[in-house]
Amino acid sequence: MDPFVEVCLHIPEWSASPFLPESSKVAGVTYSAPTEATATKTSSARTASFSTHVVRNNGFNPVWDKELSIPFDVVGGMLDLIFVRFIVRQRGKDDEGDEPIGVYCIPLGCLEKGTI
């Protein structure tokens, strides 16, 4: 097993605040533009995501020991509207996709500062 972790922030499209300027972005973090609202999606959101390195041949006790910093914008301290999604994935073989092993999503406001 070759696991790695993907961390994504799902950030609302704030009407009063622009997305982060290029100068505040961090290397290794992928930022996406807002998604379009459709009949099945009622709101738009932007994402910022980061993936750790793959731990080769260690699915039982992988250690990433990585400090992560993803800058993002927030309006009025509304952290409960920003969601953090953690996905542990198995590196796919050849042309296969990276298979998810586990997924956890939580509002950012529910996490204590400095505990993750």
Side-chain angles (χ1 to χ4, degrees), residues 51-105:
S51 293
T52 65
H53 66 281
V54 175
V55 176
R56 301 276 181 208
N57 300 319
N58 188 353
F60 295 105
N61 190 23
V63 176
W64 288 277
D65 197 21
K66 180 86 175 160
E67 185 174 315
L68 175 61
S69 175
I70 302 177
F72 61 94
D73 57 338
V74 63
V75 174
M78 294 190 287
L79 295 176
D80 288 335
L81 298 178
I82 299 172
F83 289 85
V84 181
R85 183 178 64 182
F86 300 93
I87 305 170
V88 178
R89 294 186 182 272
Q90 159 66 25
R91 175 61 67 196
K93 305 284 189 247
D94 300 324
D95 293 336
E96 297 176 21
D98 296 328
E99 178 182 335
I101 298 170
V103 178
Y104 184 71
C105 188

Side-chain angles (χ1 to χ4, degrees), residues 15-26:
S15 60
S17 176
F19 201 33
L20 290 172
E22 290 294 324
S23 61
S24 64
K25 294 185 178 180
V26 174

Side-chain angles (χ1 to χ4, degrees), residues 4 6 8 10 12 14 16 19 21-22 26 32 42-43 50 57 63 72-73 75 90 92 102 110 112 116:
F4 68 99
E6 182 180 312
C8 298
H10 297 270
W14 307 113
F19 201 33
E22 290 294 324
V26 174
S32 73
T42 57
S43 64
F50 177 83
N57 300 319
V63 176
F72 61 94
D73 57 338
V75 174
Q90 159 66 25
C110 291
E112 291 183 34
I116 288 190

